[in-house]
Amino acid sequence: MQINGSTRIAAVFGDPIAHTASPAMHNAAFAACGLNWAYIACRVDPQKLRSALYGARDLGFAGVNLTVPHKVLALEIVDDVDPEARQLGAVNTVVFEPSGRMRGYNTDGYGFTKALAEDFGFNPTGRRILIVGAGGAGRALATKCVLEGAGKVYLANRTAAKLDTMRERCHVLSLAEVPAVLDDVELIVNATSVGLKPGETLNLKPGGRHLVYDTIYNPPETELLRAAKATGARAANGLSMLLHQGARAFELWTQQTAPVDVMRGALRQAVYGDER
Ligand code: NAP
Protein backbone atom coordinates (compact mmCIF):
# COMPACT_ATOMS: atom_id res chain seq x y z
CA MET A 1 0.00 0.00 0.00
CA GLN A 2 1.43 3.37 -1.08
CA ILE A 3 1.09 6.22 1.41
CA ASN A 4 -0.73 9.08 -0.34
CA GLY A 5 -2.98 12.04 0.35
CA SER A 6 -5.84 9.84 1.56
CA THR A 7 -3.90 7.59 3.93
CA ARG A 8 -5.42 7.35 7.42
CA ILE A 9 -2.97 7.20 10.28
CA ALA A 10 -3.05 5.20 13.51
CA ALA A 11 -0.18 5.09 15.99
CA VAL A 12 1.18 3.74 19.24
CA PHE A 13 2.51 6.20 21.81
CA GLY A 14 4.98 4.96 24.43
CA ASP A 15 8.31 5.71 26.05
CA PRO A 16 10.37 3.70 25.26
CA ILE A 17 8.76 2.46 22.05
CA ALA A 18 11.52 1.20 19.74
CA HIS A 19 10.82 -2.46 20.66
CA THR A 20 7.14 -2.39 19.66
CA ALA A 21 5.75 -5.07 17.32
CA SER A 22 2.41 -3.28 16.94
CA PRO A 23 3.25 -1.52 13.63
CA ALA A 24 4.05 -4.88 12.00
CA MET A 25 0.77 -6.37 13.25
CA HIS A 26 -1.48 -3.45 12.29
CA ASN A 27 0.12 -2.62 8.95
CA ALA A 28 -0.25 -6.28 7.92
CA ALA A 29 -3.91 -6.09 8.94
CA PHE A 30 -4.55 -2.88 6.98
CA ALA A 31 -2.91 -4.37 3.89
CA ALA A 32 -4.87 -7.63 4.19
CA CYS A 33 -8.12 -5.66 4.35
CA GLY A 34 -7.15 -3.37 1.46
CA LEU A 35 -7.32 -0.31 3.72
CA ASN A 36 -5.32 2.78 2.82
CA TRP A 37 -4.17 3.12 6.43
CA ALA A 38 -0.71 3.23 8.06
CA TYR A 39 0.34 2.59 11.67
CA ILE A 40 3.37 4.31 13.15
CA ALA A 41 5.21 4.26 16.50
CA CYS A 42 5.87 7.54 18.33
CA ARG A 43 8.04 8.04 21.39
CA VAL A 44 6.03 10.43 23.52
CA ASP A 45 7.31 11.92 26.78
CA PRO A 46 4.61 11.43 29.46
CA GLN A 47 4.70 15.21 30.13
CA LYS A 48 3.62 15.71 26.51
CA LEU A 49 0.93 13.05 26.29
CA ARG A 50 -1.88 15.64 26.35
CA SER A 51 -0.46 17.75 23.52
CA ALA A 52 0.46 14.61 21.55
CA LEU A 53 -3.12 13.30 21.78
CA TYR A 54 -4.61 16.67 20.85
CA GLY A 55 -2.14 16.94 17.98
CA ALA A 56 -3.01 13.47 16.68
CA ARG A 57 -6.70 14.35 16.86
CA ASP A 58 -6.16 17.64 15.02
CA LEU A 59 -4.04 15.92 12.36
CA GLY A 60 -6.97 13.64 11.61
CA PHE A 61 -5.50 10.41 13.01
CA ALA A 62 -8.03 7.58 13.25
CA GLY A 63 -6.83 6.47 16.66
CA VAL A 64 -3.88 5.56 18.84
CA ASN A 65 -2.75 2.81 21.15
CA LEU A 66 -1.08 3.75 24.41
CA THR A 67 1.57 1.71 26.15
CA VAL A 68 3.91 2.20 29.13
CA PRO A 69 3.87 4.80 30.75
CA HIS A 70 0.73 6.44 29.35
CA LYS A 71 -2.21 4.15 30.10
CA VAL A 72 -3.29 5.63 33.45
CA LEU A 73 -2.56 9.27 32.62
CA ALA A 74 -4.78 9.05 29.54
CA LEU A 75 -7.87 8.51 31.73
CA GLU A 76 -7.66 12.20 32.66
CA ILE A 77 -7.08 13.45 29.11
CA VAL A 78 -9.64 11.77 26.87
CA ASP A 79 -13.13 13.31 26.63
CA ASP A 80 -15.01 10.07 27.29
CA VAL A 81 -13.88 6.91 29.03
CA ASP A 82 -15.48 3.59 28.17
CA PRO A 83 -16.93 2.04 31.37
CA GLU A 84 -14.61 -0.99 31.25
CA ALA A 85 -11.53 1.22 30.82
CA ARG A 86 -12.67 3.19 33.87
CA GLN A 87 -13.04 0.01 35.89
CA LEU A 88 -9.69 -1.40 34.76
CA GLY A 89 -8.06 1.95 35.56
CA ALA A 90 -6.26 2.33 32.24
CA VAL A 91 -6.76 3.38 28.61
CA ASN A 92 -4.76 1.56 25.93
CA THR A 93 -6.81 2.54 22.86
CA VAL A 94 -8.11 5.96 21.84
CA VAL A 95 -10.64 6.51 19.07
CA PHE A 96 -10.81 9.99 17.51
CA GLU A 97 -14.50 10.25 16.70
CA PRO A 98 -15.83 12.22 13.70
CA SER A 99 -17.35 14.70 16.19
CA GLY A 100 -13.83 15.53 17.39
CA ARG A 101 -14.26 13.78 20.74
CA MET A 102 -11.55 11.44 22.03
CA ARG A 103 -12.89 8.22 23.50
CA GLY A 104 -10.67 5.97 25.60
CA TYR A 105 -11.03 2.19 25.71
CA ASN A 106 -9.18 -0.67 27.34
CA THR A 107 -8.70 -3.66 25.05
CA ASP A 108 -6.10 -5.39 27.27
CA GLY A 109 -8.80 -7.06 29.38
CA TYR A 110 -10.55 -8.31 26.25
CA GLY A 111 -7.20 -9.48 24.84
CA PHE A 112 -6.49 -11.42 28.04
CA THR A 113 -9.82 -13.25 28.21
CA LYS A 114 -9.76 -13.96 24.48
CA ALA A 115 -6.23 -15.38 24.89
CA LEU A 116 -7.35 -17.64 27.76
CA ALA A 117 -10.24 -18.89 25.65
CA GLU A 118 -8.02 -19.52 22.64
CA ASP A 119 -5.03 -21.04 24.46
CA PHE A 120 -6.86 -23.06 27.12
CA GLY A 121 -10.59 -23.01 26.30
CA PHE A 122 -10.81 -21.22 29.68
CA ASN A 123 -13.63 -18.89 30.72
CA PRO A 124 -12.99 -17.03 34.03
CA THR A 125 -16.65 -17.15 35.10
CA GLY A 126 -16.88 -19.09 38.37
CA ARG A 127 -13.20 -20.14 38.26
CA ARG A 128 -10.37 -19.72 40.80
CA ILE A 129 -7.46 -17.65 39.55
CA LEU A 130 -4.12 -16.45 40.91
CA ILE A 131 -2.54 -13.36 39.39
CA VAL A 132 1.00 -12.57 40.48
CA GLY A 133 1.97 -8.94 39.97
CA ALA A 134 -0.11 -5.87 40.82
CA GLY A 135 1.43 -3.32 38.48
CA GLY A 136 -0.74 -1.73 35.78
CA ALA A 137 -1.22 -5.02 33.93
CA GLY A 138 -1.84 -7.23 36.97
CA ARG A 139 -4.43 -4.88 38.49
CA ALA A 140 -6.28 -4.61 35.16
CA LEU A 141 -6.27 -8.38 34.58
CA ALA A 142 -7.44 -9.13 38.12
CA THR A 143 -10.26 -6.60 37.72
CA LYS A 144 -11.24 -8.11 34.36
CA CYS A 145 -11.47 -11.55 35.98
CA VAL A 146 -13.71 -10.09 38.71
CA LEU A 147 -15.89 -8.37 36.08
CA GLU A 148 -16.19 -11.72 34.25
CA GLY A 149 -17.56 -13.28 37.45
CA ALA A 150 -14.56 -15.34 38.53
CA GLY A 151 -15.25 -17.47 41.60
CA LYS A 152 -12.13 -16.27 43.41
CA VAL A 153 -9.29 -13.99 42.34
CA TYR A 154 -6.06 -13.99 44.36
CA LEU A 155 -3.73 -11.07 43.60
CA ALA A 156 -0.15 -11.28 44.92
CA ASN A 157 2.53 -8.61 44.84
CA ARG A 158 6.00 -7.97 46.22
CA THR A 159 5.13 -4.40 47.28
CA ALA A 160 2.08 -4.46 49.58
CA ALA A 161 1.09 -0.81 48.93
CA LYS A 162 0.15 -1.61 45.32
CA LEU A 163 -2.53 -4.00 46.60
CA ASP A 164 -4.36 -1.36 48.64
CA THR A 165 -6.87 -0.31 45.97
CA MET A 166 -7.59 -3.97 45.13
CA ARG A 167 -8.51 -5.27 48.60
CA GLU A 168 -12.26 -4.94 48.07
CA ARG A 169 -12.18 -6.79 44.73
CA CYS A 170 -9.65 -9.57 45.29
CA HIS A 171 -8.00 -11.72 47.92
CA VAL A 172 -4.68 -9.91 48.19
CA LEU A 173 -1.50 -11.62 49.41
CA SER A 174 2.25 -11.35 49.61
CA LEU A 175 4.56 -13.41 47.39
CA ALA A 176 5.47 -15.50 50.45
CA GLU A 177 1.81 -16.52 50.80
CA VAL A 178 1.50 -17.75 47.20
CA PRO A 179 2.51 -21.40 47.81
CA ALA A 180 -0.35 -21.76 50.31
CA VAL A 181 -3.02 -20.91 47.72
CA LEU A 182 -1.65 -22.86 44.73
CA ASP A 183 -3.82 -25.89 45.54
CA ASP A 184 -6.91 -23.68 45.50
CA VAL A 185 -6.47 -22.24 41.98
CA GLU A 186 -6.89 -23.55 38.45
CA LEU A 187 -5.14 -20.75 36.56
CA ILE A 188 -1.84 -19.06 37.45
CA VAL A 189 -0.96 -15.80 35.66
CA ASN A 190 2.40 -14.08 35.79
CA ALA A 191 1.79 -10.34 35.41
CA THR A 192 5.18 -9.30 36.80
CA SER A 193 8.19 -8.36 34.73
CA VAL A 194 10.12 -11.27 36.27
CA GLY A 195 11.13 -13.51 33.37
CA LEU A 196 11.85 -10.75 30.86
CA LYS A 197 15.52 -11.42 31.52
CA PRO A 198 16.43 -15.04 30.71
CA GLY A 199 16.97 -17.16 33.82
CA GLU A 200 15.08 -15.01 36.36
CA THR A 201 12.07 -16.61 38.03
CA LEU A 202 9.61 -16.16 40.90
CA ASN A 203 9.80 -19.90 41.69
CA LEU A 204 6.03 -20.32 41.62
CA LYS A 205 6.13 -24.14 41.31
CA PRO A 206 2.99 -24.91 39.30
CA GLY A 207 1.58 -28.44 39.34
CA GLY A 208 0.46 -30.59 36.42
CA ARG A 209 -3.23 -29.72 36.81
CA HIS A 210 -2.66 -25.95 36.55
CA LEU A 211 -3.13 -23.73 33.54
CA VAL A 212 -0.23 -21.28 33.43
CA TYR A 213 -0.32 -18.02 31.47
CA ASP A 214 2.71 -15.75 31.36
CA THR A 215 1.96 -12.23 30.08
CA ILE A 216 5.60 -12.09 28.93
CA TYR A 217 6.02 -13.12 25.29
CA ASN A 218 9.71 -12.36 24.72
CA PRO A 219 11.51 -14.59 25.60
CA PRO A 220 8.87 -16.99 24.23
CA GLU A 221 9.41 -19.47 27.07
CA THR A 222 10.11 -18.04 30.52
CA GLU A 223 11.40 -20.18 33.39
CA LEU A 224 7.81 -20.27 34.68
CA LEU A 225 6.49 -21.70 31.41
CA ARG A 226 9.37 -24.19 31.28
CA ALA A 227 8.62 -25.34 34.85
CA ALA A 228 4.91 -25.58 34.05
CA LYS A 229 5.47 -27.71 30.95
CA ALA A 230 7.91 -29.94 32.88
CA THR A 231 5.11 -30.87 35.30
CA GLY A 232 2.67 -31.51 32.45
CA ALA A 233 0.73 -28.28 33.00
CA ARG A 234 -0.73 -26.45 30.01
CA ALA A 235 1.14 -23.22 29.46
CA ALA A 236 0.98 -20.22 27.11
CA ASN A 237 2.84 -16.95 26.69
CA GLY A 238 1.54 -13.40 26.32
CA LEU A 239 1.69 -13.10 22.55
CA SER A 240 -1.98 -14.11 22.30
CA MET A 241 -2.97 -11.29 24.65
CA LEU A 242 -0.97 -8.78 22.61
CA LEU A 243 -2.60 -10.09 19.44
CA HIS A 244 -6.17 -9.89 20.67
CA GLN A 245 -5.87 -6.46 22.30
CA GLY A 246 -4.59 -5.29 18.90
CA ALA A 247 -7.39 -7.02 17.01
CA ARG A 248 -10.00 -5.31 19.19
CA ALA A 249 -8.31 -1.90 18.69
CA PHE A 250 -8.31 -2.50 14.91
CA GLU A 251 -12.05 -3.17 15.06
CA LEU A 252 -12.74 -0.06 17.16
CA TRP A 253 -10.92 2.13 14.62
CA THR A 254 -11.99 0.56 11.33
CA GLN A 255 -15.38 -0.95 12.25
CA GLN A 256 -14.22 -4.03 10.29
CA THR A 257 -13.56 -7.57 11.48
CA ALA A 258 -9.85 -7.93 12.28
CA PRO A 259 -7.86 -10.41 10.15
CA VAL A 260 -6.60 -12.20 13.26
CA ASP A 261 -4.52 -14.88 11.53
CA VAL A 262 -2.69 -12.30 9.40
CA MET A 263 -2.02 -10.24 12.54
CA ARG A 264 -0.76 -13.31 14.41
CA GLY A 265 1.65 -14.19 11.60
CA ALA A 266 2.98 -10.63 11.39
CA LEU A 267 3.42 -10.46 15.15
CA ARG A 268 5.30 -13.76 15.32
CA GLN A 269 7.51 -12.67 12.44
CA ALA A 270 8.26 -9.36 14.15
CA VAL A 271 8.90 -10.81 17.61
CA TYR A 272 10.45 -14.22 16.90
CA GLY A 273 11.69 -13.81 13.33
CA ASP A 274 9.45 -16.58 12.02
CA GLU A 275 5.73 -17.38 11.91
CA ARG A 276 5.82 -20.48 14.15
P1 NAP B 1 4.56 -2.48 36.03
O1 NAP B 1 3.37 -1.63 36.29
O2 NAP B 1 5.91 -1.86 36.02
O3 NAP B 1 4.54 -3.67 37.12
C1 NAP B 1 5.63 -4.55 37.27
C2 NAP B 1 5.23 -5.69 38.20
O4 NAP B 1 6.35 -6.60 38.28
C3 NAP B 1 4.94 -5.23 39.62
O5 NAP B 1 3.95 -6.07 40.17
C4 NAP B 1 6.29 -5.46 40.31
O6 NAP B 1 6.20 -5.64 41.70
C5 NAP B 1 6.68 -6.76 39.67
N1 NAP B 1 8.12 -7.03 39.81
C6 NAP B 1 9.15 -6.45 39.13
N2 NAP B 1 10.33 -6.97 39.54
C7 NAP B 1 10.03 -7.90 40.51
C8 NAP B 1 10.82 -8.77 41.29
N3 NAP B 1 12.16 -8.81 41.18
N4 NAP B 1 10.18 -9.60 42.15
C9 NAP B 1 8.83 -9.58 42.27
N5 NAP B 1 8.02 -8.78 41.54
C10 NAP B 1 8.62 -7.94 40.67
O7 NAP B 1 4.44 -3.22 34.62
P2 NAP B 1 3.13 -3.72 33.86
O8 NAP B 1 2.79 -2.77 32.79
O9 NAP B 1 2.09 -4.09 34.88
O10 NAP B 1 3.68 -5.05 33.13
C11 NAP B 1 3.88 -6.24 33.89
C12 NAP B 1 4.19 -7.39 32.93
O11 NAP B 1 3.09 -7.61 32.07
C13 NAP B 1 5.40 -7.16 32.05
O12 NAP B 1 6.17 -8.34 32.00
C14 NAP B 1 4.82 -6.87 30.68
O13 NAP B 1 5.67 -7.35 29.65
C15 NAP B 1 3.54 -7.70 30.73
N6 NAP B 1 2.49 -7.19 29.82
C16 NAP B 1 2.14 -7.96 28.74
C17 NAP B 1 1.15 -7.52 27.88
C18 NAP B 1 0.76 -8.37 26.71
O14 NAP B 1 0.00 -7.90 25.85
N7 NAP B 1 1.21 -9.60 26.63
C19 NAP B 1 0.52 -6.28 28.10
C20 NAP B 1 0.90 -5.52 29.22
C21 NAP B 1 1.89 -5.99 30.07
P3 NAP B 1 6.39 -4.36 42.69
O15 NAP B 1 5.09 -3.67 42.71
O16 NAP B 1 6.79 -4.97 43.97
O17 NAP B 1 7.51 -3.51 42.10
Side-chain angles (χ1 to χ4, degrees):
M1 190 69 65
Q2 198 71 32
I3 290 178
N4 60 26
S6 310
T7 304
R8 302 242 33 218
I9 304 293
V12 57
F13 293 173
D15 187 12
I17 199 62
H19 64 282
T20 180
S22 290
M25 169 169 67
H26 283 286
N27 285 317
F30 296 151
C33 295
L35 291 169
N36 183 6
W37 287 48
Y39 186 104
I40 61 173
C42 304
R43 188 168 71 80
V44 173
D45 184 309
Q47 308 255 14
K48 298 187 177 149
L49 179 62
R50 181 179 294 272
S51 57
L53 281 169
Y54 286 10
R57 177 198 62 190
D58 294 348
L59 286 164
F61 281 28
V64 297
N65 284 136
L66 301 172
T67 186
V68 176
H70 300 315
K71 293 184 189 184
V72 177
L73 196 54
L75 281 170
E76 308 307 319
I77 298 175
V78 296
D79 300 309
D80 304 302
V81 179
D82 183 68
E84 183 160 311
R86 176 76 66 200
Q87 282 167 310
L88 300 195
V91 166
N92 81 320
T93 301
V94 176
V95 175
F96 299 113
E97 295 179 339
S99 63
R101 291 185 77 78
M102 272 185 228
R103 189 169 174 84
Y105 294 85
N106 186 305
T107 70
D108 284 331
Y110 167 87
F112 176 60
T113 50
K114 187 84 182 164
L116 295 179
E118 184 179 273
D119 292 328
F120 302 136
F122 183 90
N123 175 348
T125 309
R127 312 292 283 276
R128 296 183 313 282
I129 298 165
L130 166 66
I131 295 178
V132 183
R139 290 200 302 269
L141 300 189
T143 303
K144 179 67 175 171
C145 290
V146 171
L147 294 176
E148 294 295 311
K152 199 175 235 182
V153 179
Y154 293 100
L155 179 62
N157 203 51
R158 177 181 61 177
T159 306
K162 289 220 191 119
L163 295 165
D164 284 347
T165 59
M166 300 298 290
R167 278 176 206 284
E168 286 179 8
R169 288 178 200 173
C170 308
H171 298 258
V172 301
L173 56 158
S174 68
L175 293 183
E177 291 170 309
V178 164
V181 304
L182 284 181
D183 277 349
D184 193 40
V185 300
E186 300 158 81
L187 171 70
I188 301 171
V189 179
N190 176 33
T192 74
S193 45
V194 178
L196 282 172
K197 292 188 198 123
E200 61 178 12
T201 177
L202 286 169
N203 254 326
L204 288 179
K205 303 238 187 314
R209 58 174 199 84
H210 285 122
L211 302 173
V212 180
Y213 192 83
D214 200 326
T215 61
I216 292 172
Y217 54 86
N218 199 12
E221 190 171 85
T222 57
E223 290 299 321
L224 172 64
L225 295 185
R226 224 186 310 279
K229 286 177 188 169
T231 65
R234 291 170 66 199
N237 77 21
L239 201 80
S240 47
M241 177 180 159
L242 182 65
L243 166 68
H244 289 294
Q245 66 74 32
R248 182 83 190 107
F250 176 98
E251 292 177 349
L252 286 169
W253 296 326
T254 66
Q255 302 293 316
Q256 295 195 18
T257 303
V260 172
D261 288 336
V262 169
M263 296 172 83
R264 191 192 321 273
L267 206 47
R268 286 181 178 160
Q269 184 71 46
V271 178
Y272 304 133
D274 62 50
E275 295 198 7
R276 74 201 138 121

